[in-house]
Structure formats: C-alpha cells, structure tokens
C-alpha cells in the first residue's frame, strides 16, 4: 500500500523539531519510514486514521535540565 503525503524532509530529528519551533504554522515533527519530516497536524491525523505507522518527535526536558528527543508511536 502506498500513501502520498505532504511534508518537508530534514536530515535529523533535531532539525525537524527546531523547524517547528521557528515556524509553528508548519505543523509537527514526525519520524516516518526512517526519515524526519515536518507536516501539518491535519496531515499527520490523516496518516494516523489510515493506519500508517509513524512517531511524533518531541523534545523532553530531563530533571537535570538537559533535553532529549523522544518519540511517541502512532499505530505501532
């Protein structure tokens, strides 16, 4: 099965997340098929409803104040 989607690809998860901070209108950062994307939230919702496996990319602040990138799986 092949599903087309609209997104901007980034070389790293960190760059995708940073892009969402710089321009929140561009949507959410996701990991899909081993690649890092930023897409509209409605596009991510559409993929989730179609049963596509992917993960949201998020910054998580640790107790010591450092940040780690974590994934939130969808349809896993």
């Amino acid at each position: 099965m092949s599903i087309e989607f609209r997104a901007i690809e980034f070389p790293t998860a960190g760059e995708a997340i940073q892009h969402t901070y710089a321009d929140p209108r561009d949507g959410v950062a996701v990991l899909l098929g081993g690649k890092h994307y930023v897409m509209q939230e409605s596009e991510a919702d559409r993929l989730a409803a179609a049963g596509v496996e992917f993960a949201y990319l998020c910054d998580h602040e640790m107790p010591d104040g450092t940040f780690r990138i974590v994934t939130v799986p969808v349809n896993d």
Side-chain angles (χ1 to χ4, degrees):
M1 179 167 102
S2 176
I3 295 181
E4 292 186 26
F5 60 93
R6 293 179 51 98
I8 304 167
E9 186 176 347
F10 290 86
T12 68
E15 288 179 72
I17 292 169
Q18 288 301 316
H19 184 80
T20 65
Y21 291 152
D23 195 349
R25 296 171 297 164
D26 281 344
V28 294
V30 301
L31 177 64
L32 174 61
K35 296 183 179 182
H36 312 98
Y37 297 100
V38 172
M39 64 178 63
Q40 293 293 314
E41 192 166 353
S42 60
E43 190 77 344
D45 291 343
R46 185 179 69 81
L47 293 176
V52 175
E53 290 184 16
F54 67 95
Y56 288 101
L57 297 168
C58 309
D59 267 341
H60 176 73
E61 186 173 5
M62 303 299 290
D64 66 359
T66 61
F67 286 86
R68 290 201 180 151
I69 296 173
V70 297
T71 58
V72 180
V74 177
N75 293 324
D76 184 26

XYZ file of all heavy atoms in Angstrom:
585
model
N 0.835 -1.171 0.000
C 0.000 0.000 0.000
C 0.887 1.244 0.000
O 1.879 1.312 0.706
C -0.896 -0.008 1.243
C -1.789 1.183 1.348
S -3.065 0.964 2.582
C -2.392 1.936 3.906
N 0.517 2.213 -0.771
C 1.272 3.448 -0.872
C 0.337 4.626 -0.583
O -0.750 4.712 -1.149
C 1.852 3.575 -2.282
O 2.507 4.796 -2.429
N 0.784 5.500 0.305
C 0.001 6.690 0.644
C 0.879 7.909 0.421
O 1.998 7.980 0.935
C -0.492 6.646 2.109
C -1.469 5.507 2.294
C -1.118 7.964 2.504
C -2.019 5.385 3.683
N 0.384 8.853 -0.316
C 1.113 10.091 -0.526
C 0.812 11.058 0.609
O -0.280 11.039 1.173
C 0.710 10.720 -1.855
C 1.171 9.920 -3.054
C 0.902 10.630 -4.362
O 0.825 11.885 -4.374
O 0.782 9.923 -5.367
N 1.810 11.875 0.929
C 1.616 12.888 1.964
C 2.493 14.089 1.649
O 3.480 13.981 0.934
C 1.924 12.332 3.360
C 3.338 11.841 3.533
C 4.318 12.679 4.031
C 3.683 10.539 3.200
C 5.626 12.231 4.199
C 4.983 10.088 3.357
C 5.958 10.935 3.855
N 2.096 15.220 2.197
C 2.845 16.469 2.017
C 3.638 16.758 3.284
O 3.065 16.783 4.376
C 1.899 17.618 1.721
C 1.195 17.475 0.373
C 0.243 18.623 0.122
N 0.865 19.919 0.321
C 1.352 20.693 -0.650
N 1.314 20.293 -1.879
N 1.885 21.869 -0.361
N 4.953 16.967 3.108
C 5.815 17.231 4.261
C 7.132 17.824 3.782
O 7.460 17.762 2.598
C 6.082 15.939 5.035
N 7.867 18.374 4.733
C 9.214 18.875 4.481
C 10.170 17.898 5.153
O 10.034 17.616 6.350
C 9.417 20.285 5.078
C 8.369 21.263 4.545
C 10.830 20.788 4.800
C 8.318 22.582 5.313
N 11.133 17.367 4.408
C 12.088 16.410 4.977
C 13.300 17.142 5.550
O 13.762 18.141 4.977
C 12.549 15.421 3.906
C 13.421 14.319 4.472
C 13.812 13.271 3.438
O 13.216 13.245 2.341
O 14.726 12.502 3.736
N 13.824 16.628 6.674
C 15.005 17.187 7.329
C 16.019 16.073 7.564
O 15.640 14.918 7.754
C 14.624 17.833 8.673
C 13.835 19.094 8.503
C 12.458 19.052 8.358
C 14.473 20.324 8.445
C 11.724 20.207 8.172
C 13.742 21.495 8.257
C 12.377 21.430 8.121
N 17.310 16.416 7.595
C 18.338 15.388 7.778
C 18.357 14.768 9.181
O 18.783 13.627 9.344
C 19.647 16.098 7.476
C 19.355 17.549 7.363
C 17.879 17.726 7.286
N 17.905 15.523 10.192
C 17.928 14.997 11.562
C 16.626 15.313 12.286
O 15.898 16.244 11.910
C 19.082 15.617 12.387
O 18.805 17.008 12.589
C 20.436 15.438 11.714
N 16.375 14.546 13.332
C 15.199 14.797 14.168
C 15.298 16.172 14.824
O 14.317 16.905 14.908
C 15.073 13.706 15.232
N 16.488 16.523 15.283
C 16.683 17.817 15.931
C 16.351 18.984 15.021
O 15.724 19.956 15.446
N 16.744 18.886 13.757
C 16.446 19.962 12.812
C 14.950 20.060 12.535
O 14.401 21.159 12.414
C 17.213 19.754 11.513
C 18.703 20.020 11.661
C 19.458 19.781 10.380
O 19.302 20.600 9.453
O 20.194 18.780 10.306
N 14.286 18.911 12.457
C 12.833 18.922 12.237
C 12.130 19.588 13.416
O 11.263 20.448 13.234
C 12.315 17.497 12.034
N 12.514 19.228 14.629
C 11.906 19.816 15.819
C 12.184 21.314 15.877
O 11.288 22.110 16.157
C 12.392 19.104 17.097
C 11.836 17.680 17.138
C 11.985 19.883 18.344
C 12.450 16.809 18.213
N 13.421 21.708 15.606
C 13.770 23.128 15.627
C 12.944 23.912 14.617
O 12.547 25.048 14.870
C 15.260 23.328 15.354
C 16.143 22.902 16.497
C 15.837 23.649 17.777
O 15.654 24.859 17.789
N 15.772 22.929 18.882
N 12.659 23.297 13.470
C 11.846 23.984 12.463
C 10.437 24.254 12.992
O 9.871 25.310 12.726
C 11.776 23.159 11.180
C 11.032 23.848 10.084
N 11.606 24.822 9.303
C 9.753 23.726 9.662
C 10.711 25.266 8.442
N 9.576 24.619 8.643
N 9.885 23.317 13.760
C 8.539 23.541 14.319
C 8.560 24.670 15.337
O 7.559 25.362 15.506
C 7.942 22.273 14.961
O 8.724 21.887 16.101
C 7.861 21.132 13.963
N 9.682 24.871 16.026
C 9.790 25.994 16.956
C 9.895 27.315 16.186
O 9.316 28.320 16.576
C 11.014 25.856 17.863
C 10.940 24.738 18.867
C 12.101 24.126 19.316
C 9.732 24.277 19.373
C 12.060 23.099 20.250
C 9.684 23.249 20.295
C 10.847 22.671 20.729
O 10.806 21.661 21.637
N 10.651 27.294 15.092
C 10.872 28.502 14.310
C 9.599 28.938 13.576
O 9.351 30.133 13.429
C 11.999 28.286 13.310
N 8.824 27.966 13.106
C 7.597 28.291 12.378
C 6.512 27.276 12.720
O 6.306 26.303 11.987
C 7.847 28.319 10.870
C 6.724 28.989 10.120
O 5.652 29.248 10.714
O 6.907 29.264 8.924
N 5.815 27.459 13.842
C 4.803 26.506 14.293
C 3.677 26.270 13.285
O 3.019 25.238 13.323
C 4.252 27.125 15.573
C 5.234 28.148 15.992
C 5.952 28.581 14.752
N 3.489 27.211 12.360
C 2.434 27.030 11.357
C 2.720 25.845 10.443
O 1.811 25.328 9.795
C 2.269 28.291 10.516
C 1.792 29.493 11.321
C 1.866 30.743 10.501
N 3.278 30.967 10.162
C 3.710 31.784 9.225
N 2.866 32.461 8.497
N 4.994 31.935 8.992
N 3.984 25.424 10.369
C 4.336 24.307 9.502
C 3.915 22.962 10.089
O 3.951 21.959 9.397
C 5.834 24.292 9.191
C 6.191 25.307 8.123
O 5.279 25.793 7.425
O 7.384 25.607 7.978
N 3.553 22.911 11.360
C 2.991 21.680 11.913
C 3.840 20.966 12.927
O 4.460 21.588 13.777
N 3.888 19.642 12.778
C 4.500 18.771 13.769
C 5.665 18.004 13.154
O 5.701 17.755 11.953
C 3.462 17.774 14.342
C 2.396 18.499 15.137
C 2.828 16.937 13.244
N 6.625 17.625 13.998
C 7.760 16.824 13.550
C 7.418 15.344 13.732
O 6.885 14.951 14.769
C 9.006 17.178 14.366
N 7.720 14.548 12.697
C 7.432 13.120 12.763
C 8.600 12.316 12.205
O 9.405 12.818 11.416
C 6.138 12.736 12.000
C 4.936 13.478 12.549
C 6.272 12.970 10.521
N 8.653 11.067 12.625
C 9.583 10.082 12.094
C 8.744 9.077 11.328
O 7.848 8.437 11.903
C 10.339 9.403 13.232
C 11.298 8.283 12.855
C 12.441 8.823 12.010
C 11.839 7.609 14.109
N 9.000 8.952 10.040
C 8.200 8.081 9.181
C 9.128 7.390 8.197
O 9.858 8.057 7.451
C 7.142 8.909 8.442
C 6.297 8.223 7.382
C 5.487 7.075 7.987
C 5.355 9.215 6.729
N 9.137 6.072 8.218
C 9.993 5.327 7.296
C 11.465 5.624 7.475
O 12.217 5.601 6.509
N 11.872 5.928 8.708
C 13.275 6.223 8.988
C 13.710 7.626 8.595
O 14.892 7.949 8.680
N 12.769 8.459 8.174
C 13.088 9.827 7.782
C 12.374 10.818 8.690
O 11.338 10.503 9.260
C 12.694 10.067 6.325
C 13.489 9.196 5.361
C 13.136 9.485 3.943
C 13.967 8.607 3.020
N 13.687 8.907 1.610
N 12.937 12.013 8.786
C 12.423 13.055 9.668
C 11.685 14.091 8.842
O 12.251 14.649 7.899
C 13.574 13.721 10.426
C 14.502 12.725 11.039
N 15.679 12.358 10.440
C 14.391 11.997 12.166
C 16.273 11.455 11.194
N 15.514 11.216 12.241
N 10.431 14.352 9.218
C 9.597 15.273 8.462
C 8.917 16.282 9.388
O 8.726 16.008 10.576
C 8.462 14.532 7.735
C 8.901 13.542 6.696
C 8.933 12.184 6.976
C 9.263 13.960 5.421
C 9.313 11.264 6.011
C 9.640 13.056 4.448
C 9.671 11.708 4.753
O 10.046 10.803 3.793
N 8.506 17.392 8.791
C 7.568 18.308 9.421
C 6.365 18.368 8.482
O 6.519 18.554 7.274
C 8.164 19.716 9.627
C 7.099 20.693 10.098
C 9.301 19.652 10.643
N 5.179 18.152 9.063
C 3.947 18.175 8.280
C 2.840 18.827 9.076
O 2.939 18.943 10.301
C 3.534 16.758 7.861
C 3.192 15.834 9.010
S 2.668 14.185 8.492
C 4.118 13.554 7.670
N 1.823 19.266 8.375
C 0.651 19.827 9.040
C 0.044 18.776 9.962
O 0.052 17.580 9.649
C -0.391 20.272 8.014
C 0.040 21.445 7.173
C 0.160 22.702 8.017
O -0.712 23.019 8.812
N 1.259 23.408 7.843
N -0.490 19.218 11.078
C -1.103 18.284 12.020
C -2.259 17.528 11.363
O -2.452 16.336 11.618
C -1.588 19.023 13.264
C -1.971 18.090 14.373
C -2.137 18.779 15.709
O -1.827 19.979 15.825
O -2.580 18.100 16.639
N -2.991 18.186 10.497
C -4.089 17.511 9.800
C -3.574 16.387 8.904
O -4.233 15.361 8.744
C -4.902 18.518 8.982
O -4.085 19.147 8.018
N -2.397 16.569 8.337
C -1.786 15.521 7.503
C -1.383 14.335 8.377
O -1.595 13.175 8.010
C -0.572 16.093 6.754
C -0.023 15.198 5.697
C -0.843 15.166 4.411
O -2.006 15.594 4.392
O -0.321 14.660 3.416
N -0.816 14.610 9.543
C -0.463 13.535 10.476
C -1.721 12.807 10.946
O -1.726 11.572 11.051
C 0.313 14.101 11.662
N -2.787 13.544 11.203
C -4.055 12.921 11.599
C -4.590 12.012 10.499
O -5.103 10.923 10.759
C -5.105 13.987 11.929
C -4.801 14.761 13.196
O -3.969 14.293 14.006
O -5.386 15.846 13.367
N -4.452 12.451 9.248
C -4.916 11.659 8.112
C -4.121 10.354 8.007
O -4.683 9.282 7.790
C -4.781 12.470 6.817
C -5.347 11.791 5.590
C -5.193 12.671 4.353
N -3.813 12.819 3.924
C -3.136 11.926 3.201
N -3.708 10.799 2.830
N -1.895 12.169 2.837
N -2.797 10.439 8.182
C -1.965 9.236 8.140
C -2.321 8.287 9.286
O -2.392 7.070 9.096
C -0.482 9.611 8.204
C 0.067 10.365 7.000
C 1.519 10.763 7.245
C -0.045 9.540 5.737
N -2.543 8.844 10.469
C -2.919 8.018 11.620
C -4.237 7.305 11.360
O -4.371 6.106 11.639
C -3.010 8.880 12.879
N -5.213 8.009 10.808
C -6.523 7.415 10.521
C -6.420 6.318 9.465
O -7.208 5.366 9.478
C -7.500 8.499 10.062
N -5.431 6.421 8.579
C -5.236 5.414 7.531
C -4.445 4.213 8.035
O -4.223 3.268 7.288
C -4.523 6.054 6.341
N -4.003 4.254 9.299
C -3.281 3.124 9.881
C -1.786 3.128 9.628
O -1.108 2.132 9.894
N -1.248 4.238 9.144
C 0.184 4.345 8.872
C 0.949 4.397 10.199
O 0.560 5.119 11.116
C 0.483 5.603 8.028
C 1.985 5.795 7.838
C -0.238 5.518 6.691
N 2.039 3.617 10.281
C 2.887 3.641 11.470
C 3.902 4.774 11.349
O 4.609 4.870 10.349
C 3.635 2.320 11.633
C 2.739 1.164 12.011
C 3.519 -0.115 12.249
O 4.758 -0.060 12.424
O 2.873 -1.172 12.250
N 3.955 5.640 12.348
C 4.945 6.705 12.419
C 5.064 7.111 13.870
O 4.414 6.538 14.740
C 4.570 7.892 11.517
C 3.338 8.657 11.941
C 3.438 9.792 12.725
C 2.067 8.239 11.547
C 2.311 10.499 13.102
C 0.934 8.942 11.912
C 1.053 10.077 12.699
N 5.916 8.087 14.151
C 6.069 8.575 15.521
C 6.235 10.085 15.508
O 6.907 10.635 14.629
C 7.273 7.936 16.195
N 5.592 10.728 16.456
C 5.827 12.156 16.660
C 7.189 12.324 17.311
O 7.597 11.510 18.141
C 4.756 12.760 17.572
C 3.409 12.892 16.916
C 2.403 11.978 17.178
C 3.151 13.934 16.035
C 1.159 12.095 16.576
C 1.911 14.056 15.423
C 0.922 13.136 15.694
O -0.301 13.252 15.090
N 7.910 13.380 16.956
C 9.196 13.709 17.552
C 8.992 14.864 18.524
O 8.369 15.868 18.170
C 10.197 14.136 16.471
C 10.541 13.069 15.436
C 11.304 13.707 14.269
C 11.368 11.974 16.079
N 9.504 14.714 19.740
C 9.305 15.733 20.776
C 10.589 15.947 21.570
O 11.351 15.010 21.791
C 8.224 15.287 21.767
S 6.696 14.765 21.020
N 10.797 17.175 22.005
C 11.853 17.469 22.976
C 11.299 17.169 24.362
O 10.157 17.531 24.673
C 12.231 18.951 22.937
C 13.393 19.246 22.018
O 14.136 18.312 21.688
O 13.553 20.416 21.635
N 12.110 16.519 25.190
C 11.692 16.235 26.568
C 12.775 16.745 27.508
O 13.949 16.388 27.370
C 11.501 14.731 26.758
C 11.174 14.353 28.164
N 9.955 14.606 28.733
C 11.920 13.749 29.118
C 9.957 14.169 29.980
N 11.139 13.648 30.239
N 12.374 17.608 28.434
C 13.344 18.141 29.387
C 13.537 17.151 30.525
O 12.584 16.734 31.182
C 12.898 19.493 29.942
C 13.964 20.126 30.816
C 13.626 21.539 31.238
O 12.517 22.028 30.936
O 14.479 22.163 31.888
N 14.778 16.776 30.761
C 15.140 15.852 31.827
C 15.227 16.622 33.154
O 15.323 17.849 33.160
C 16.491 15.190 31.503
C 16.491 14.447 30.162
S 15.290 13.113 30.080
C 16.021 11.954 31.201
N 15.198 15.889 34.278
C 15.279 16.559 35.580
C 16.520 17.442 35.749
O 16.484 18.434 36.471
C 15.301 15.401 36.576
C 14.597 14.292 35.873
C 14.967 14.454 34.414
N 17.614 17.091 35.055
C 18.834 17.891 35.192
C 18.858 19.103 34.256
O 19.841 19.829 34.189
C 20.071 17.022 34.966
C 20.199 16.494 33.543
O 19.314 16.783 32.692
O 21.180 15.780 33.268
N 17.768 19.314 33.507
C 17.671 20.473 32.634
C 18.115 20.234 31.203
O 17.938 21.100 30.349
N 18.699 19.066 30.924
C 19.079 18.748 29.551
C 17.843 18.273 28.784
O 16.824 17.938 29.383
C 20.163 17.654 29.506
O 19.650 16.457 30.106
C 21.434 18.101 30.223
N 17.964 18.258 27.465
C 16.848 17.826 26.622
C 17.216 16.568 25.863
O 18.365 16.392 25.467
C 16.469 18.932 25.629
C 15.740 20.068 26.264
C 16.429 21.112 26.845
C 14.356 20.083 26.303
C 15.767 22.164 27.440
C 13.678 21.134 26.899
C 14.381 22.176 27.471
N 16.233 15.714 25.674
C 16.378 14.515 24.845
C 15.223 14.473 23.862
O 14.108 14.867 24.189
C 16.326 13.255 25.700
C 17.543 13.092 26.562
C 17.717 11.684 26.989
N 18.910 11.617 27.815
C 19.097 10.759 28.765
N 18.181 9.868 29.030
N 20.215 10.751 29.458
N 15.513 13.969 22.686
C 14.450 13.777 21.718
C 13.790 12.431 21.998
O 14.479 11.414 22.125
C 14.989 13.822 20.283
C 15.548 15.221 20.001
C 13.903 13.447 19.276
C 16.258 15.361 18.678
N 12.475 12.440 22.121
C 11.721 11.215 22.348
C 10.716 11.039 21.210
O 10.372 11.991 20.527
C 10.993 11.213 23.711
C 12.000 11.279 24.854
C 10.013 12.353 23.813
N 10.279 9.813 21.035
C 9.274 9.523 20.006
C 8.003 9.053 20.673
O 8.018 8.358 21.698
C 9.770 8.451 19.019
O 10.086 7.269 19.734
C 10.989 8.936 18.250
N 6.884 9.404 20.061
C 5.563 8.968 20.523
C 4.953 8.171 19.370
O 4.527 8.753 18.369
C 4.671 10.160 20.904
C 3.315 9.673 21.374
C 5.352 11.023 21.966
N 4.949 6.832 19.495
C 4.487 5.998 18.384
C 2.997 6.138 18.111
O 2.195 6.343 19.015
C 4.784 4.570 18.832
C 5.579 4.674 20.075
C 5.430 6.054 20.614
N 2.648 6.010 16.825
C 1.265 6.024 16.368
C 1.061 4.751 15.544
O 1.877 4.428 14.680
C 0.979 7.270 15.501
C -0.438 7.242 14.961
C 1.233 8.533 16.298
N -0.017 4.018 15.826
C -0.355 2.788 15.101
C 0.759 1.735 15.183
O 0.969 0.979 14.260
C -0.690 3.069 13.638
C -1.965 3.863 13.506
O -2.894 3.676 14.254
N -1.983 4.769 12.536
N 1.450 1.687 16.288
C 2.545 0.722 16.479
C 2.011 -0.554 17.070
O 1.246 -0.608 17.950
C 3.609 1.338 17.386
C 4.805 0.428 17.554
O 5.065 -0.376 16.666
O 5.486 0.558 18.579
